[in-house]
Amino acid sequence: MPNIVILTGAGISAESGIETFRAETGLWAQHNVEDVATPEGFVRDPQLVVNFYNARRAHGASALPNAAHEALARLEAENDGEVLIVTQNVDDLHERGGAQNVLHMHGSLGSALCASCEHRWPAPMEMNVGDACPACSAPSARPDIVWFGEIPYQMDRIIDALGRADIFAAIGTSGNVYPAAGFVAEAARIGAQTVEINLEPSAVGSQFDNAIMGPATQTVPAWVDDILKGR
Ligand code: OAD
């Protein structure tokens, strides 16, 4: 009955048709990170930023969870110990794949945030610059996404869960963005078994005990089968 913390990144949603960030033709090859994923970019050109996330929200809504998302939901349902999915993804494919214990450390496309009073509410499919906050009426709506230079959400809960983990798995993440890229070191420090599941070794790949390389829709269901059989 191991306690398991799973960190996921864009690679787990790639086979659902959602672009990753750092692939040769990925989102960061098509858009300037400073323009669309920083607080300064939002001040400079809020319309560009809102349009970027509106497009991603629309695209995400038409995508379907894949076998990897569904396998993690099965692990959550059938494992005796705690299973926590910590995702860097802003899509909702883990939830639509059936998972319930999911933390979105980089925010969610489905949520809007008031930059004035920090109230959150379900984002409309199309957000507009200057949308009013339903709580304080300030025209300060922004996508509820953690941008570069901002602090990821739920770090206390994540560190807490890592402290109880017997197994830490990182799936489909390139290991370039901290603090998420540092979770393997934290998990190893407290003695958890660590495994990287990815297409290729990540930037922090050498820090894992084990590596499983291949497309997530194949590797993740097989890994989940092994865990549930106690292998
Ligand atoms: P990246 O685009 O950096 O990395 C995606 C990883 O998934 C790469 O290591 C790929 O090799 C792997 N991959 C691609 N297809 C796969 C597949 N079918 N099966 C398994 N693995 C596959 O995305 P992230 O690591 O998620 O943050 O990026 C981390 C953060 O950087 C994002 O949350 C985002 C971005 O800037 C913010 O916007 C704040």
Side-chain angles (χ1 to χ4, degrees), residues 8-12 14-15 19-23 28 33 37 53 56 88-90 106 145-148 171-177 197-202 214-217 219:
T8 66
I12 197 165
E15 290 164 85
E19 286 166 308
T20 64
F21 295 95
R22 293 179 180 77
W28 292 160
V33 184
Y53 290 103
R56 296 189 56 213
Q88 298 166 90
N89 298 344
V90 293
H106 289 168
I145 304 289
V146 176
W147 289 324
F148 285 95
I171 303 175
T173 178
S174 64
N176 282 300
V177 176
I197 304 177
N198 212 338
L199 273 187
E200 61 200 357
S202 75
T217 55
T219 51

Side-chain angles (χ1 to χ4, degrees), residues 161-181:
L162 282 171
R164 292 188 300 276
D166 302 299
I167 297 174
F168 170 74
I171 303 175
T173 178
S174 64
N176 282 300
V177 176
Y178 286 81

Side-chain angles (χ1 to χ4, degrees), residues 32-76:
N32 196 343
V33 184
E34 288 77 23
D35 289 340
V36 298
T38 63
E40 296 77 15
F42 188 59
V43 169
R44 240 183 352 255
D45 191 345
Q47 192 66 59
L48 179 80
V49 176
V50 164
N51 289 349
F52 174 72
Y53 290 103
N54 281 345
R56 296 189 56 213
R57 190 176 299 109
H59 186 55
S62 66
L64 294 173
N66 65 46
H69 300 105
E70 286 162 2
L72 293 187
R74 184 160 59 87
L75 180 65
E76 189 187 274

Side-chain angles (χ1 to χ4, degrees), residues 135-160:
C136 75
S137 303
S140 307
R142 56 165 276 185
D144 191 5
I145 304 289
V146 176
W147 289 324
F148 285 95
E150 298 183 321
I151 298 167
Y153 297 152
Q154 315 255 27
M155 285 303 296
D156 291 351
R157 279 186 68 193
I158 296 167
I159 297 298
D160 215 46

Side-chain angles (χ1 to χ4, degrees), residues 4-28:
I4 306 170
V5 175
I6 298 156
L7 172 70
T8 66
I12 197 165
S13 295
E15 290 164 85
S16 293
I18 295 184
E19 286 166 308
T20 64
F21 295 95
R22 293 179 180 77
E24 233 166 85
T25 56
L27 283 169
W28 292 160

